[in-house]
Amino acid sequence: MAFSWNGFDPTFLKEIIKASGIKNADLYINSGDENDLAGCVYNICKYPDRKFIMNYRCIIEQYLILKYKDEVLKICKSLNIVAGNYDQMKTIMTKRALSMDLINAYIAAILSISGSNIPESSYSTFRYTRDLNMAETGIEDVPLRDYQEDAVKAMKKHFIDNDAYGGILVMPTGSGKSRTAAYFLIREMISRGYQILWLAHRHMLIDQAADCFYRYAGLSKIVNPEIKRYRISCISGEHQSMSQAGKHEVIVASIASVCRSKEHLSRILADKVMIVVDEAHHTYAPTYRETIKFIRKCRKNVKLLGLTATPVRANYKDSAELLKIFDNTIVYSIKLKDLIVSGVLATPVFIRKETYEEFEPQISIDEERLIRRYGELPETLVSKIAASNTRNQLIVDEYINNKEKYGKTLIFAMNVLHCRFLCDEFKKRRIKCDVIYNGKKDNKAVIDNFKQNKLDVLINVNIMTEGTDVPDIQTVFITRPTQSETLLMQMIGRGLRGISANGTDKLNIVDFHDKWDVFNKWLDPQWVLGKEDDEEDEKEKPHPRKSNLKKYDWNLCIEIYKSIVFRHLAAKKNVMLPTGWYTLIDKDGELYYMLVFESQLAGLIQMMKEKYFWKDDNNFDGKQALKQYFRGFGDLPKSDELDMLIDNVRNNEEPPIFHSFENRKKIEPYYVAIAAKENGRDIIEYSGEVYDSFPVASEIYNSREEYIMKVCEARIYGNTERIIGQKVEELPLELIPFDRTPFYDLDELVQEVKDEMFGGKFDGLGTITWTDKAYRRYYGIHYGDTHNIMINTVLNSKDVPREVVKYIIYHEMLHYNNMSHDSAFRKLEHEYPDYEKWDHFLDSNMLQFDIKEW
């Protein structure tokens, strides 16, 4: 990060230098040069980290933060400090115990003051372990929706009551998988002594999960009021390393970090472990399978929970093996259409945009072979489509011409080049736009800008398919053809948050469809929605798509882009809008929602009007109904759904009622609460009348009482999430006293290393000595020209275990034959007994000591 101490108040910088004890501090303080002051503080601490706040808290408060009222108010808000006036808030803040919560708030404030163009959002509040004070943390329940409660009950029955090993939770994107899983894990598993190891494949998913475990911590006290410890550690390239992690109650980690350092698992795993795989469809990858296998070797009492939005079907390639990993069990699942009907998810408006672009004539023999084999576009062809400036202009024009309707729009591009081409075109038209893709350093900040409505359009390559939560997206543009149902479901799911879940009433799904004659099996978003209940599907094939992050000469790409023009005709647009649903009973006696689109409505109305003509005709079925009532253009109902509708008419006294989405809106608790207030009505009486007036209410809500409660909650909270986590308290951080009195005989330690690791002899070494002072960065260094070794004198203390010092000596001696830290070096290094334990001491325990380094 491009952080700099330049620009900070000189008085503040001088006080830091004074307190640091650095040699020749007076020379810097008296120089009068602000650059010298900033440079000196940079040598003390390059970046405001945990130790900087702990060492200089009083100076930070007195000479910096208290001079910025807005920063004080932000800190107090983040720490839930409430007082009668500003002065009281300042007093409470400065007297607050030094917890990780406070440290994170101070770091964010310093970044904000710095003027270094570092967004506060780029700093993870889970960079260090969060240690909660459970004695002071209040018991706090988390409100769940009905289906989320059902999911929790199903998981409790499966994992606790039946003591089962594994299972998958299947919930559509936007339905709150993380919230539901965290609720169950905290209340039912952590409270029973299970350690949670949550595995994700992207950094961006880690903070989101960790935040749930932090804010919902009070749930653990519902089952176990006497719970003692609750620590949350995150492990990834942007958080802590495996060597820094301890045997903590919650570990949220990237699978890459865990897989690379699996040996540390034997040290940090508790006796009882619940492994959670976020986006469980990735579990078939070798990294996940190897890690799970390793954990099961380390511990006997292990359980495994998978989370996914994509239903797993037995006839997909590799799905049988995937299910086998999870004990062949789907613990709970709910269908996308059920959540659309209930209003949890937005009503999708499918807009099919025909581009008439033809790419098949340009397909090479090799590309054709790859398409036929893998069912996906090879990267060479993707780049050709991405570089079509007429196609890109059409995409931009579609947004510009419908800007008011489309509003906040998320675009799924084909690759990095496509992202940048489209972004340039949007910016030329003065649309606030940005891009994100794997490897781009400011992704988190860009997503935050999109959340805060600083952008109209966000273009991405697969980043926003999993885990990222932006509830108020109004439109999704799908500009890339795919045969992967998983990918397509994730793309359209990004914007499906409904009004009752802080999202939107409708979601526009704009599918840009090119002209394909031979390769014409690219999936249609509308088809995927209706496909949930199909029993027979074509096999899903893996595809060999490699990373889209490449080193491009951007200026050259622009020149090529300008020169490529494909044949383009006037584009055609078809709109498919679901207007409502029939509530049916399926053959198993379960509720089934049959979604009805605009193009189908007239045929269904006519069919139901004439039900007395066909009701007793046993030859009349869904296929006959399609021929008789649906002969126009547009999307046709599925014959098996028509069979179910016909069966419900024949076997029930009252025919199924068609419910429109407009009527559903009339019973939406959020709108009913507003209407009661505007009309000056008693909310309980008014909501009861609404429930009695609309039969659809009884189909969506379990009881009159439940509906009235939902309306009352909407009056209190509006369409925003209830704030959870205000009762969470953290333990104060205290540095451990560290004895700097020299303790070890270095020659004696060196000889022990030679005896134990090198058979008693190691020729060619120069001198091995302590450094003259304590250093911050290195514990040891080997000089290749002389083979002299220096060991940091900070380790010469009775508070540092003997084996830790010997481990550093051994490490530096290995550099005699290999100056790099390559895999061969690491293999030899890991031969040192209990090296994981000594790594952990150096990377974690040493940070907890009160060491004066200058």
Side-chain angles (χ1 to χ4, degrees), residues 178-380:
S178 297
R179 182 190 188 99
T180 306
Y183 185 103
F184 163 72
L185 295 166
I186 297 169
R187 177 170 174 154
E188 306 297 346
M189 303 305 288
I190 291 177
S191 62
R192 289 177 167 85
Y194 274 87
Q195 178 191 52
I196 308 302
L197 176 59
W198 182 293
L199 299 176
H201 69 291
R202 283 185 177 159
H203 294 152
M204 295 168 64
L205 303 176
I206 291 175
D207 280 315
Q208 177 180 303
D211 184 60
C212 285
F213 283 107
Y214 180 86
R215 291 188 296 118
Y216 305 166
L219 285 169
S220 61
K221 299 183 73 172
I222 295 175
V223 174
N224 181 10
E226 303 303 317
I227 187 169
K228 301 296 183 186
R229 300 299 301 269
Y230 192 114
R231 292 158 294 182
I232 305 168
S233 290
C234 291
I235 299 172
S236 81
E238 297 180 4
H239 298 88
Q240 297 181 87
S241 66
M242 286 283 284
S243 61
Q244 291 176 302
K247 194 176 289 188
H248 299 157
E249 287 67 32
V250 179
I251 297 176
V252 185
S254 76
I255 184 63
S257 294
V258 173
C259 194
R260 277 197 302 266
S261 305
K262 287 195 296 290
E263 296 81 4
H264 282 280
L265 286 173
S266 57
R267 176 179 58 80
I268 68 177
L269 289 175
D271 293 333
K272 299 193 296 184
V273 182
M274 168 64 95
I275 308 169
V276 184
V277 180
D278 198 4
E279 307 297 346
H281 46 277
H282 294 292
T283 316
Y284 192 67
T287 49
Y288 282 96
R289 285 183 290 156
E290 290 170 11
T291 300
I292 293 169
K293 184 178 179 181
F294 186 91
I295 292 171
R296 295 187 73 182
K297 281 185 178 180
C298 292
R299 299 292 185 271
K300 292 181 180 179
N301 199 339
V302 175
K303 296 183 184 293
L304 176 64
L305 171 65
L307 312 178
T308 183
T310 309
V312 180
R313 305 175 194 271
N315 60 334
Y316 279 178
K317 185 178 181 181
D318 297 334
S319 287
E321 286 297 319
L322 178 63
L323 274 171
K324 187 177 179 181
I325 295 171
F326 292 95
D327 244 12
N328 293 308
T329 304
I330 294 179
V331 180
Y332 177 84
S333 66
I334 188 168
K335 296 171 183 174
L336 187 67
K337 64 175 64 177
D338 293 353
L339 299 181
I340 291 172
V341 165
S342 66
V344 174
L345 298 184
T347 303
V349 179
F350 298 103
I351 301 170
R352 181 183 173 102
K353 184 80 174 177
E354 302 287 351
T355 70
Y356 293 104
E357 294 281 0
E358 290 188 87
F359 297 101
E360 281 184 345
Q362 304 173 54
I363 294 177
S364 68
I365 294 175
D366 289 339
E367 289 171 339
E368 179 178 342
R369 178 178 56 80
L370 288 170
I371 294 172
R372 292 191 186 281
R373 181 177 179 184
Y374 296 105
E376 286 290 350
L377 295 176
E379 187 62 34
T380 51

Side-chain angles (χ1 to χ4, degrees), residues 598-609:
E598 272 187 342
S599 60
Q600 304 164 356
L601 187 57
L604 283 165
I605 290 174
Q606 189 63 30
M607 176 180 161
M608 295 301 283
K609 279 183 180 179

Side-chain angles (χ1 to χ4, degrees), residues 120-131:
E120 295 169 51
S121 58
S122 65
Y123 173 77
S124 170
T125 58
F126 294 98
R127 179 170 294 184
Y128 306 107
T129 297
R130 310 292 292 272
D131 196 349

Side-chain angles (χ1 to χ4, degrees), residues 528-563:
V528 170
L529 178 63
K531 180 176 176 287
E532 283 192 307
D533 305 292
D534 289 353
E535 294 181 359
E536 294 296 329
D537 302 304
E538 294 184 16
K539 290 185 178 181
E540 184 177 89
K541 299 178 180 179
H543 57 86
R545 186 178 300 282
K546 298 180 180 179
S547 171
N548 286 318
L549 183 61
K550 293 185 177 181
K551 300 296 182 184
Y552 291 108
D553 182 335
W554 180 240
N555 293 326
L556 180 59
C557 289
I558 288 292
E559 292 303 313
I560 296 173
Y561 176 69
K562 290 177 180 178
S563 68

